[in-house]
Amino acid sequence: MSKLRISSSPHIRSGASTQKIMADVLIALIPCVIASVLVFGTGSLLIIAVSVAASVLSEYISRRVMKRPNSISDLSAAVTGVLYALTLPVGTPVYVVVLGAVFAVVVAKQLFGGLGCNIVNPALAGRAFMLISFTAQFADCAPVAADAVSGATPLAGSYAAGTMSYWQLAVGAYGGAIGETCKIAILIGLVYLLVRRVISIRIPAVMLASAALMSLCLGRDPLFEILTGGIMFGAVFMATDYTSSPLSAWGQVIYAALCGIITVLIRQFGAYPEGTMFAILLMNIATPLIDKLIRPRVFGEVKAK
């Protein structure tokens, strides 16, 4: 005779664990890593290795200091390290890589309570902190690639000139962050994440569509805007972060739409040629407000008369 088991919700579980989800993200990032080697050379592997090592080590040490259980086995620190590394130019000094990774893990993640408690995407927080703190170093480390343009992104000067074809932009044959230039590699990663049901298409699709629409309204080339800078990488791997994105479907639509719009507005009117990083971070901060205003209806709930 079976016993009736009573437990608190949730009563339906997917079987997915943090480790499995993070492993899928790492697998989805492999095409971007391979593309970074093909476009920028083996120097990109050094940046990725240093970033991952610094991220994992800083998480281990910080957890020990804070007397918290060891969490490096969940692979979240490794994911943060890879994501942060892929947003950097190939000539980034090693100390900048290390400092950014430590800031991402210790300050943006662990000081807020660890995985699931961070209010912004840790990798983007580390990238923003390094860009603001070491602007000259980022300006001086432009990548060298076939038909590359001078600077960290073609948005800085080639928009008006129109010197690059859409195919060059799609395959990443230009200077930029090592993991953001090859859009084909990013799309392969997106397909993998969708097949594995790690993310839904909602946030990437809405973010890119809103950016294209805003670009059209401002008289900019929508396809060029999508294929340059870090907007596609950010839409797939950054904006979809579970912790720092809204819970409800409509909340995610609003969040993603504003990410795309703010990105283009910063590109058009801001001091930086790229706005994806700041747009996502701003909307990460606004996520609690979106969740408060747009709450998903509880199953079986009816509206009060």
Side-chain angles (χ1 to χ4, degrees):
M1 180 178 180
S2 61
K3 295 181 179 180
L4 176 63
R5 296 183 178 180
I6 302 176
S7 64
S8 60
S9 60
H11 303 292
I12 301 175
R13 301 179 184 272
S14 67
S17 64
T18 300
Q19 188 181 58
K20 290 181 180 179
I21 293 173
M22 294 302 166
D24 279 332
V25 175
L26 289 174
I27 293 173
L29 288 169
I30 290 177
C32 294
V33 174
I34 295 174
S36 71
V37 176
L38 295 177
V39 176
F40 301 105
T42 56
S44 61
L45 291 179
L46 174 63
I47 292 178
I48 296 171
V50 171
S51 179
V52 172
S55 297
V56 173
L57 185 60
S58 59
E59 173 145 327
Y60 176 78
I61 295 175
S62 63
R63 299 283 293 189
R64 288 293 298 271
V65 171
M66 298 176 186
K67 297 182 180 180
R68 295 173 180 170
N70 180 20
S71 62
I72 60 175
S73 60
D74 64 14
L75 302 179
S76 62
V79 169
T80 298
V82 176
L83 287 175
Y84 168 65
L86 292 177
T87 65
L88 301 174
V90 73
T92 305
V94 172
Y95 69 90
V96 173
V97 179
V98 173
L99 288 176
V102 172
F103 181 89
V105 172
V106 177
V107 178
K109 181 181 176 184
Q110 293 302 329
L111 289 185
F112 284 91
L115 182 65
C117 300
N118 49 286
I119 62 173
V120 296
N121 185 289
L124 280 183
R127 176 65 165 79
F129 178 69
M130 289 297 100
L131 177 62
I132 295 172
S133 302
F134 300 96
T135 305
Q137 284 80 351
F138 276 91
D140 293 338
C141 57
V144 179
D147 300 321
V149 296
S150 177
T153 168
L155 288 166
S158 63
Y159 174 77
T163 56
M164 290 179 293
S165 67
Y166 293 138
W167 174 249
Q168 285 178 298
L169 298 175
V171 299
Y174 61 90
I178 61 176
E180 296 177 348
T181 59
C182 185
K183 303 306 184 290
I184 295 176
I186 297 172
L187 289 177
I188 294 173
L190 171 62
V191 171
Y192 178 83
L193 292 176
L194 293 175
V195 171
R196 295 288 295 172
R197 297 185 178 181
V198 175
I199 65 172
S200 71
I201 192 62
R202 187 181 299 113
I203 290 178
V206 172
M207 181 173 173
L208 295 176
S210 64
L213 182 60
M214 178 56 64
S215 301
L216 195 61
C217 293
L218 294 176
R220 300 168 73 98
D221 184 348
L223 187 55
F224 183 90
E225 295 297 322
I226 298 300
L227 293 176
T228 51
I231 186 168
M232 188 175 291
F233 186 84
V236 174
F237 294 106
M238 300 294 194
T240 53
D241 177 46
Y242 289 174
T243 306
S244 55
S245 61
L247 298 173
S248 64
W250 278 111
Q252 291 176 3
V253 169
I254 296 173
Y255 162 86
L258 289 175
C259 280
I261 292 172
I262 294 173
T263 295
V264 177
L265 289 177
I266 293 176
R267 289 180 177 184
Q268 177 75 15
F269 304 107
Y272 291 97
E274 174 59 284
T276 303
M277 173 180 63
F278 295 108
I280 296 177
L281 288 174
L282 285 172
M283 292 313 301
N284 286 164
I285 297 173
T287 290
L289 177 60
I290 296 175
D291 282 334
K292 182 178 180 180
L293 296 177
I294 304 177
R295 297 179 179 178
R297 180 181 297 181
V298 178
F299 181 74
E301 180 187 22
V302 294
K303 291 184 178 180
K305 295 182 181 181

